[in-house]
Amino acid sequence: MLKYPQLEKALKYHFGYDQFRPGQRQIIEDALQNRDLMVVMPTGGGKSLCFQLPALLKSGLTVVVSPLIALMQDQVEALRNNNISATFLNSSLNFYKVRSREEAIMNGKVRLLYIAPERLISDKFLPLLDVVKEKIGIANFAIDEAHCVSEWGHDFRPEYRQLILLKKRYPDVTTTALTATATDRVRVDIIQQLGLKQPSVHIASFNRHNLYYEVRSKNQRAYAELLEIVRENKGSGIIYCLTRKKVDELTFKLQNDKIAALPYHAGLSDDERSKNQTRFIRDDIRVMVATIAFGMGINKPDVRFVVHFDLPRNLESYYQESGRAGRDSEPSRCTLFFSFGDVKTIEWSINQKTDLQEKLIAKQQLRQVIDYAEGTDCRRTIQLAYFGERFPANCGNCDNCLYPKPVQNWTIEAMKFLSCVARCKERYGMLYIIDVLRGAKNQKITLNKHDQLSTYGIGKDKTLDEWRILGRSLLHQGLLEQTTDGYSVLKLNALSWEVMRKQRSVSIAVPIAQKISLEEGNAKAAEVEVLMHRLRSLRKQLADEQAVPPYVIFHDSTLKLMAQIQPKTLHEFGKLSGVGSHKLAQYGDRFLAEIQAYCQQQSLQPQKTNPVYYAPVDNFPSDTESTTLKLYEQGFNIQEIAQKRNVKTSTIIQHLSDLIEKNQSIDLNQLIPLERQKKIWQVLDVLGDIALKPIKDYLGESYSFNEIRLVKAKWQRENRKT
Ligand code: ADP
Ligand code: ZN
């Protein structure tokens, strides 16, 4: 028997959701059993519901402690939109407003009260709370952002320390502490500092399954790629930069490219900052370009992408900052642009620190960020490992899982590179060495007579970028050193010599161009997108009428359901996840009308026909190809056909691949194991239609040109169709 079988009904009635998120039900059951609770869930996990639903099911007032005014307002607005009586008390209210709200509380008209810690424990407020306790009862103290109580957390607030007073004054009232902080130390601290009594502790996985993680190299194309990301995602996004100056510059560039973007940093006036923030939350603008000053306490659930255009300080901040994407569990993208120039900048600023311990920690943290960015393992696995959580490798939703970087053996190149460093007497930086390798004709080289070295010009076959990738990788693998005096002179070490003596091989991960699109577009998706657009406009209009953020009306996920399912009646509409009893009554008609209008217009339009693919005239098999085809159909394998026809096997392969391209039914499975086909296909998807040699280079020794040629023929045929 399920404990509290009615919980799902209550969830749907009040909040419109069909199911609990992982952990929520158990937590709510414990809350209803009057237990102290410690809830650790990542951002977007759905912590609020864990105290909001019990607040409606228990008698008495639930007091929610929240550190930020913006957060309080936001949550209260969202609750009121579900017809739940909630209110907040903070310094933004005038005397009369405070009085009338306090009265409402005393009269039992409020279920949830949001309040800042310092006000709650003030001498003025506590007596009032005593009366509440007496008259209507206190259901629970919910301490949001509970990590603020810990000095070990990233956001210590001394006021939080005094909350222990509540336990002393009201020993029989339960406390629910909630946080998204991942570290053990803080969790322990929270339990102690708040005096929780045998709390039931719930720690959810920190995996954010809906976030797509990727790292891109911050090269000359970086801005163009950023623009592509912004343009492709129709929703809101945050772009983080390191400095105010960079924020301003990037905002300006984006605005010039017709992106509705605004800046946010400590250099702006309070007024301007809060104005920009509101415009972002209300969807008046789409992109917030910001320093890390932005984001704490932003509850916007529909942030579709978070880009770090500069390097984050450490992995924990990266997790939290990128985690502001996709709180609503819809697919969202987290992109980190990585460059060694940025590493240098940060290294420089670390070197300015005087405290040795601090310096060491900062260096280690930087190292971890670099390892993450350069890593070839699943990004999610790396991040979660950082929090001590094990995640089975290969999440299928990060760049490394979807587009694995082929690791290549570059021992020969490394030997060339290192011996060039040696011959130049370990007195130059990377670019100079590469110039010598590539046989550049510059004055410095001639003057130094380095054009007479045996290594001069032996690296013409590789580009500047390729040599750079190798050079950096050697540095990061510790196979080469670099002075830290600001000149970055390359120096050899014992390992470098091992490489040069052929005692050690060198493998490097070669970055490859990445595809942008997250989802495959098709006709249905396009249709949903058009209707979504209309529903979004309607939502925005309704939100502006009430001066609330659009997501308070409906989440993106609910709009998407409307667009996909296209309900025709109020009954159908009420079944959508995110539509509770109140919202159904409030907005049902308006949205149904919009959907109906759209459907009518659609049915008036002629059905779009699929584009026809016209076969080229020379699409028929030639005579010799036909002969090969016949033998193939009789079940002979490639070698046998070649023998019978007395031609080379490569000729037969050529015939077969041409036949595939000409739409003849050649079953590849008969020729190449499926796994290998898949692998080749994947690489083709990434590299595109290029020569076979580089494709083979990426795949490695074990793949033959023949296999690649055949799969490529099929790939070309498929890609031409779409
Ligand atoms: P957190 O405080 O953990 O970051 P929130 O409580 O703000 O997360 O919840 C994140 C979003 O998920 C909110 O917009 C909330 O309405 C939504 N949500 C919470 N629980 C559910 C659920 N059971 N089903 C669908 N959406 C939910
Ligand atoms: Zn992954």
Side-chain angles (χ1 to χ4, degrees):
M1 243 318 262
L2 209 57
K3 246 195 246 171
Y4 306 107
Q6 300 295 317
L7 279 184
E8 273 77 12
K9 270 206 182 129
L11 176 70
K12 177 70 188 166
Y13 179 81
H14 293 294
F15 295 95
Y17 301 132
D18 300 321
Q19 282 172 350
F20 287 105
R21 292 251 183 93
Q24 283 179 333
R25 191 176 216 286
Q26 184 65 48
I27 294 166
I28 291 166
E29 283 175 10
D30 284 350
L32 295 177
Q33 301 268 338
N34 289 320
R35 291 198 58 178
D36 275 357
L37 277 157
M38 162 84 177
V39 177
V40 186
M41 266 188 195
T43 307
K47 284 185 285 297
S48 323
L49 200 95
C50 298
F51 59 82
Q52 288 171 346
L53 190 57
L56 301 174
L57 302 176
K58 289 169 86 167
S59 65
L61 175 74
T62 290
V63 180
V64 186
V65 177
S66 179
L68 294 169
I69 291 179
L71 268 180
M72 292 184 196
Q73 273 170 343
D74 211 73
Q75 293 224 357
V76 166
E77 268 162 13
L79 285 167
R80 286 193 182 156
N81 238 274
N82 277 318
N83 206 28
I84 294 165
S85 75
T87 192
F88 63 82
L89 288 174
N90 64 31
S91 54
S92 73
L93 304 170
N94 65 31
F95 173 77
Y96 300 99
K97 272 205 168 142
V98 170
R99 251 248 310 260
S100 80
R101 287 185 184 192
E102 284 178 354
E103 246 165 51
I105 295 166
M106 301 297 268
N107 292 329
K109 294 206 174 122
V110 176
R111 301 308 294 262
L112 288 119
L113 165 67
Y114 283 73
I115 189 164
E118 58 276 13
R119 180 183 284 259
L120 174 62
I121 49 152
S122 67
D123 293 340
K124 255 166 90 188
F125 192 77
L126 281 174
L128 191 128
L129 202 57
D130 289 342
V131 182
V132 172
K133 171 102 173 46
E134 197 62 27
K135 257 181 86 178
I136 32 185
I138 301 174
N140 183 27
F141 290 112
I143 319 287
D144 210 0
E145 313 288 345
H147 56 272
C148 293
V149 81
S150 171
E151 274 170 323
W152 297 99
H154 47 80
D155 196 27
F156 176 52
R157 288 169 190 250
E159 323 74 270
Y160 262 68
R161 278 286 162 86
Q162 297 174 45
L163 291 171
I164 184 90
L165 193 149
L166 297 172
K167 267 281 172 234
K168 297 199 174 116
R169 199 171 178 114
Y170 311 106
D172 55 335
V173 178
T174 56
T175 304
T176 303
L178 307 107
T179 179
T181 301
T183 58
D184 265 348
R185 178 136 216 176
V186 177
R187 293 172 194 166
V188 173
D189 227 17
I190 291 172
I191 294 178
Q192 277 170 1
Q193 300 288 346
L194 292 177
L196 301 188
K197 281 188 250 158
Q198 284 136 28
S200 156
V201 179
H202 295 264
I203 300 172
S205 163
F206 270 69
N207 179 24
R208 303 280 311 278
H209 62 90
N210 59 316
L211 301 189
Y212 173 78
Y213 292 107
E214 66 174 354
V215 179
R216 290 164 180 254
S217 97
K218 191 169 157 186
N219 50 26
Q220 292 95 325
R221 265 194 49 76
Y223 177 73
E225 286 187 23
L226 174 73
L227 205 56
E228 240 173 298
I229 292 174
V230 173
R231 285 193 174 136
E232 175 177 306
N233 275 284
K234 305 281 179 291
S236 311
I238 305 172
I239 302 172
Y240 283 112
C241 299
L242 205 58
T243 60
R244 300 171 191 184
K245 188 161 162 271
K246 285 194 181 170
V247 168
D248 286 334
E249 282 168 6
L250 192 58
T251 312
F252 183 72
K253 268 174 112 168
L254 287 167
Q255 286 171 344
N256 266 340
D257 281 312
K258 309 252 178 318
I259 304 292
L262 281 178
Y264 189 103
H265 56 65
L268 302 173
S269 68
D270 284 355
D271 192 40
E272 207 166 349
R273 269 209 310 271
S274 102
K275 226 168 55 198
N276 289 0
Q277 175 170 322
T278 306
R279 296 195 64 193
F280 178 65
I281 290 175
R282 302 253 166 109
D283 290 348
D284 293 329
I285 57 152
R286 211 156 68 77
V287 177
M288 192 63 127
V289 188
T291 59
I292 50 166
F294 178 76
M296 167 70 184
I298 302 297
N299 242 339
K300 192 170 169 53
D302 49 9
V303 174
R304 291 277 76 87
F305 59 94
V306 172
V307 175
H308 280 72
F309 209 55
D310 292 315
L311 223 50
R313 291 157 302 158
N314 53 52
L315 267 191
E316 161 117 45
S317 352
Y318 183 64
Y319 175 85
Q320 300 293 357
E321 286 152 18
S322 62
R324 289 174 188 142
R327 291 171 85 115
D328 55 6
S329 291
E330 290 290 298
S332 310
R333 171 188 290 266
C334 305
T335 308
L336 167 63
F337 279 92
F338 176 74
S339 83
F340 281 92
D342 286 354
V343 172
K344 282 266 147 317
T345 315
I346 295 186
E347 259 172 2
W348 184 85
S349 74
I350 291 176
N351 281 330
Q352 306 308 302
K353 289 184 193 287
T354 45
D355 184 324
L356 259 172
Q357 180 68 13
E358 235 181 80
K359 213 174 185 167
L360 224 65
I361 294 174
K363 278 199 172 155
Q364 191 189 353
Q365 289 184 331
L366 176 62
R367 178 82 245 159
Q368 284 163 334
V369 173
I370 297 172
D371 286 347
Y372 171 78
E374 282 212 300
T376 49
D377 297 324
C378 168
R379 308 269 182 216
R380 206 170 296 272
T381 308
I382 305 177
Q383 284 195 30
L384 293 175
Y386 181 75
F387 299 125
E389 188 177 327
R390 278 229 231 155
F391 186 85
N394 209 326
C395 69
N397 195 20
C398 77
D399 53 352
N400 281 347
C401 286
L402 288 184
Y403 314 109
K405 293 194 193 85
V407 175
Q408 291 182 11
N409 186 330
W410 278 39
T411 310
I412 304 288
E413 286 79 2
M415 288 165 70
K416 288 183 186 171
F417 191 102
L418 295 171
S419 56
C420 192
V421 175
R423 293 199 193 274
C424 293
K425 305 252 173 332
E426 302 177 53
R427 277 168 39 197
Y428 300 90
M430 184 160 332
L431 284 181
Y432 184 85
I433 299 296
I434 295 175
D435 271 350
V436 175
L437 280 167
R438 300 191 68 229
K441 294 189 179 37
N442 77 36
Q443 214 182 358
K444 201 168 159 196
I445 292 179
T446 330
L447 232 75
N448 290 331
K449 298 212 168 65
H450 284 158
D451 51 351
Q452 291 163 28
L453 293 177
S454 59
T455 50
Y456 180 77
I458 56 169
K460 282 186 181 149
D461 57 327
K462 294 252 176 294
T463 63
L464 168 66
D465 270 344
E466 285 171 321
W467 283 116
R468 231 193 230 147
I469 289 166
L470 172 68
R472 284 168 190 155
S473 187
L474 290 173
L475 285 169
H476 289 108
Q477 295 185 48
L479 305 174
L480 177 67
E481 311 269 326
Q482 195 173 30
T483 59
T484 52
D485 53 0
Y487 296 100
S488 305
V489 174
L490 297 179
K491 298 277 179 192
L492 302 171
N493 62 20
L495 295 181
S496 324
W497 289 103
E498 282 183 22
V499 173
M500 281 188 274
R501 282 192 225 104
K502 269 204 131 167
Q503 290 163 341
R504 178 181 281 275
S505 68
V506 177
S507 297
I508 66 168
V510 188
I512 41 186
Q514 283 159 20
K515 269 188 138 183
I516 282 256
S517 72
L518 267 180
E519 282 170 288
E520 300 286 277
N522 56 29
K524 174 73 184 167
E527 190 192 319
V528 167
E529 202 43 58
V530 174
L531 180 50
M532 273 274 288
H533 183 73
R534 289 180 67 151
L535 297 174
R536 260 199 209 106
S537 311
L538 173 61
R539 177 179 70 171
K540 174 75 177 130
Q541 190 190 330
L542 293 170
D544 286 348
E545 283 167 15
Q546 301 177 45
V548 296
Y551 59 79
V552 164
I553 310 280
F554 283 121
H555 278 186
D556 277 5
S557 45
T558 307
L559 291 194
K560 200 162 154 192
L561 285 174
M562 289 180 206
Q564 281 165 342
I565 295 172
Q566 304 181 356
K568 303 209 164 34
T569 63
L570 273 178
H571 181 70
E572 282 173 19
F573 190 83
K575 282 192 182 157
L576 302 177
S577 173
V579 183
S581 57
H582 185 68
K583 287 186 182 175
L584 175 64
Q586 198 79 347
Y587 308 120
D589 288 333
R590 300 279 296 266
F591 280 87
L592 275 181
E594 190 68 31
I595 295 167
Q596 204 178 10
Y598 168 82
C599 291
Q600 266 165 4
Q601 281 172 11
Q602 281 304 98
S603 63
L604 289 179
Q605 276 169 15
Q607 282 292 308
K608 278 194 222 80
T609 45
N610 285 329
V612 184
Y613 166 58
Y614 292 102
V617 190
D618 62 352
N619 205 32
F620 291 103
S622 64
D623 288 346
T624 172
E625 285 168 355
S626 296
T627 313
T628 297
L629 180 61
K630 276 209 190 88
L631 290 167
Y632 169 82
E633 281 169 351
Q634 286 163 23
F636 294 106
N637 68 29
I638 293 168
Q639 275 77 24
E640 289 164 343
I641 301 174
Q643 255 173 13
K644 276 191 184 301
R645 300 204 53 196
N646 201 14
V647 295
K648 289 194 198 142
T649 47
S650 59
T651 308
I652 302 301
I653 297 279
Q654 189 60 52
H655 288 169
L656 288 174
S657 59
D658 287 343
L659 285 164
I660 290 171
E661 272 219 68
K662 291 177 180 177
N663 265 330
Q664 299 300 313
S665 63
I666 304 279
D667 182 10
L668 273 189
N669 296 344
Q670 204 178 309
L671 303 168
I672 308 164
L674 192 61
E675 269 320 298
R676 296 176 73 80
Q677 287 182 47
K678 272 193 190 154
K679 189 84 200 177
I680 298 170
W681 194 281
Q682 228 177 14
V683 172
L684 283 165
D685 269 344
V686 175
L687 294 180
D689 195 351
I690 57 167
L692 294 178
K693 173 81 171 70
I695 298 172
K696 182 167 160 49
D697 284 350
Y698 278 114
L699 285 160
E701 286 300 293
S702 69
Y703 286 81
S704 70
F705 278 115
N706 288 345
E707 283 171 296
I708 299 170
R709 178 169 287 137
L710 288 171
V711 175
K712 189 175 169 202
K714 186 166 170 193
W715 180 85
Q716 278 169 326
R717 187 182 76 191
E718 296 301 316
N719 274 283
R720 219 181 21 212
K721 272 191 204 155
T722 51

